Amino acid sequence: MKTITAMLTETVSAAFESCGYDPSLGTVMVSDRPDICQFQCNGAFAGAKLYHKAPMIIAEEVAGKLSDSSIFSKAEAVRPAFINLTLSDEFLAEFCRNIAKDEHLGVEQAERPSTIVIDYGGPNVAKALHIGHLRSAIIGESLKRLARACGHNVIGDAHLGDWGMPMGLTIAYLSEKYPDWKCFSEDFDPEKDAIPDIDVKELNEIYPAASARSKEDSDDGRAFKEKAHGMTLMLQSHKKGIYDLWKKLVSISVGDIKKICSQLNVDFDYWYGESDADEYIPELLDLLGSKGLMHESMGAMVVDVAQEDDKAPMPPVMIKKTDGSVLYDTTDLATLIQREKDFKPDNVWYVADKRQTLHFEQCFRCAKISGIVRDETRLEYLGFGTMNGADGKPYKTRDGGVMQLQMLLDTAYAAARERISAENFTAAEEAESTARKIAVASIKFGDLINHRTKDYIFDLDKFLSAEGKTGVYLLYMVTRICSVLRKLGIEDSGDISIGDIYTDAERQLMLCIALTGEAFNRAFTERAPNYICENAYQLAVLFSKFYHDNHILSESDENKRAAWINLCRLVKRMLEKHLDILAIDTVEKM
Ligand code: ARG
């Protein structure tokens, strides 16, 4: 289904044309002044320059043509030369009727669907998921669902951090803590020798300790770092024992990561890691070598990617270190070879922290000049801002440490549990699962309501409030509609037939429904789920007003009552669709 502005643009363009003007002047937008009109067209200004005429004359001619149309209740030219438009109730109701019949609820489907790979989440093996991964996971999940809802073919990939120096550090640390483990000895036999079990909690504590030790300015620190380099290299050359230990670390860690992701409704089509790019590294080296792009620099192999018009320094991409080990840039480039082979994507989106801008710029340039990706492939880095604490600095635990994601979820759950009314629930499990959903909804909505590029302050009290732009408010609104339908004995299934418009509150609500397609388009174009949050909130507020103004339960006029009930059902479906894009579960009651 076309969006409403696209439809209106067709009508207004035809009016321009029939007055003898270029139809491209007829672009219609949502009004800047909703108090005056619903839509506007500013084409008369450009027309005035083109045809050397007073703009107001053109606006008046075109508005005159439009005023007969059944689409508008009002089409008027207003000084200096705006064309202000307000829809007729018949047209607005008809448009909403079509939305209700449309399986995509009015969300425009891509004419030529793109294949989009979304690289998001980016959890690291043997490192507990911390809040830095929260944003990537929830923004990425939402972008994936949004792009799918717009008709694209979307592939989500976790791109686990499982292949670089952090793994070497973890393994080096384990080799000192457990020197007797068979995997560290030369005569390790994968057929006979098992790798001992490691508790995930212990595993997650190792990396921070190992990383701190390698940074110490002491002989021990330097020697340890050297050892970790050695382990990284052994891992990357698949040395038996080390490689087997690594496989075990990955499986323990990924099990834990999956658990947390599922609490957040985050799921990947592929759980590929940096290590899966390993088999494409020889091809990458060949390609860069044969094109003469790679050269030696202080023992390392690098590719220059600076351009003449660079305003800031652009260091070369480091492909291979002096010791032969490969780096973050290398695996990202090799991963593009793999993605090209497996998926031939039109777009690759990377949802990662804003601080990785340079890394991605370097990789993208290298991928283009070397021809790893086709000219027409669009590589997009979708950076996001930081989640801060009340002090405006990156969110920390009470004692100043890095907040683990599980701890954050548990804190939100405990707070949500206190707020729901126990008497509403007969079974304890039901109360618990509701509180979990509320906790997740509040965290996710609190994040996604901000444009992804912005920093925001994590304020659990605010996020859990039942008023204002919160996930809780939206969940509450859905439960309210459910309860109205229950009271009316309405089974919410099957077709919805939208009736006529009787009151102003309905008109406003229907206009918001009609504009939903625009919100989805904008969110998709800007890769920004906050427009989905915003639209969901508007729908909820207008629903609330509509419900307050019109007494559905006591209404005696059959037609009115039926129209209102159907509108309730449509709003419910719409809200559920928005929440599904945000990967937020609804609740029955709270
Ligand atoms: N694992 C990385 C980190 O924690 C994020 C990965 C982002 N994606 C990528 N293709 N480099 O910082």
Side-chain angles (χ1 to χ4, degrees), residues 490-501:
I490 303 280
E491 188 66 58
D492 184 30
S493 62
D495 294 346
I496 297 178
S497 56
I498 291 296
D500 296 332
I501 297 176

Side-chain angles (χ1 to χ4, degrees), residues 119 122-124 133 159-161 274 328 332 339 350-352 356 359-360:
D119 176 317
N124 297 318
H133 296 107
H159 200 73
L160 293 164
E274 293 170 3
Y328 190 42
D332 259 324
R339 288 178 178 158
Y350 296 84
V351 185
Q356 297 202 24
H359 161 73
F360 285 107

Side-chain angles (χ1 to χ4, degrees), residues 463-479:
F463 295 176
L464 277 165
S465 162
E467 275 155 49
K469 290 184 186 175
T470 66
V472 180
Y473 176 68
L474 286 171
L475 292 190
Y476 168 66
M477 221 31 101
V478 175
T479 61

